[in-house]
Amino acid sequence: MNADDSVPGPTDDIMCATYRALCRHGYANLTMQDIADEWSKSKPALHYHYDTKRGLLLAFLEHLFTAYTDRVAAPDEGSPRARLDALIDAALDPPRADAHRELRTALFEVKAQAPHDEAFRERLERFDDYLAAEIRRIVAEGIEAGAFRADADPEMAAVLLVTLVNGAHSRRVALGAADGVRDAINAAVDDHLEGGVR
């Protein structure tokens, strides 16, 4: 959890327990007792830190966002296209993707709460906003360097690519595959960003 060698605090342990409980039970069936069981402490001890399941899951999304920004960041070196490809690859395929299948499914259920819960929506939007900002930055730098078309629109590129990444995640959970998405992204970048660049 932590990059350093410090001893994890109770919050780190609770986040690990929440991860395991979500993977085991999914969102809909998850209870505070399930998380306490994974934490190997009592439910009252868990309530000392978090009053409700909702509050704990909002904190868990914050925890995931920190890990996401550590993992999904545009590289500082390489051509703009190579940097953009690396960013999209990181957003599409987290490490140990198979091990995260249950978590992906649980988070898909969490996303379904967003239309009805502003706090969930705001936290989930942060993931998209972060990825979009990284894409806009690379595209703008690529335009300036002459690697992407001068008339390319960084904002439109970000909207398109974030939408494709989100669609790939949804298809992976709902259908078990996201075949062709990487090819579609490559084609979009070829057409909208690199088309006509010599």
Side-chain angles (χ1 to χ4, degrees):
M1 302 288 268
N2 294 332
D4 58 25
D5 294 327
S6 61
V7 176
T11 300
D12 294 321
D13 291 341
I14 292 170
M15 294 301 109
C16 288
T18 303
Y19 171 89
R20 291 191 299 271
L22 271 170
C23 289
R24 188 183 304 272
H25 302 282
Y27 171 80
N29 297 320
L30 183 70
T31 66
M32 291 291 273
Q33 185 62 59
D34 294 329
I35 299 169
D37 291 344
E38 294 291 341
W39 190 31
S40 300
K41 297 201 176 176
S42 68
K43 184 177 172 183
L46 182 60
H47 277 291
Y48 175 80
H49 296 280
Y50 297 98
D51 292 335
T52 64
K53 169 183 161 180
R54 177 178 177 273
L56 174 49
L57 289 175
L58 289 172
F60 184 66
L61 286 175
E62 292 288 341
H63 174 78
L64 288 183
F65 179 73
T66 299
Y68 182 80
T69 57
D70 287 343
R71 180 176 56 78
V72 180
D76 292 327
E77 297 183 2
S79 70
R81 178 61 186 263
R83 293 168 59 215
L84 184 60
D85 285 345
L87 174 66
I88 296 300
D89 286 341
L92 281 174
D93 296 310
R96 297 180 303 147
D98 291 342
H100 291 294
R101 181 177 177 188
E102 295 86 357
L103 180 63
R104 285 178 188 268
T105 302
L107 291 178
F108 192 72
E109 295 177 275
V110 171
K111 287 183 179 182
Q113 309 308 307
H116 314 289
D117 191 313
E118 185 176 352
F120 277 115
R121 184 167 60 251
E122 288 175 352
R123 281 158 180 80
L124 291 167
E125 282 176 346
R126 292 182 66 199
F127 291 83
D128 283 4
D129 290 346
Y130 174 81
L131 180 58
E134 290 290 278
I135 292 169
R136 283 194 302 269
R137 180 166 65 86
I138 296 175
V139 172
E141 291 172 0
I143 293 169
E144 184 177 344
F148 295 146
R149 289 170 36 180
D151 63 347
D153 183 339
E155 181 61 34
M156 291 300 291
V159 170
L160 174 63
L161 294 175
V162 169
T163 300
L164 287 171
V165 167
N166 283 334
H169 289 308
S170 296
R171 287 187 67 194
R172 185 174 286 138
V173 171
L175 305 177
D179 296 339
V181 172
R182 197 63 183 94
D183 290 339
I185 291 174
N186 287 337
V189 174
D190 290 343
D191 292 344
H192 296 286
L193 297 180
E194 290 190 327
V197 176
R198 297 186 186 277

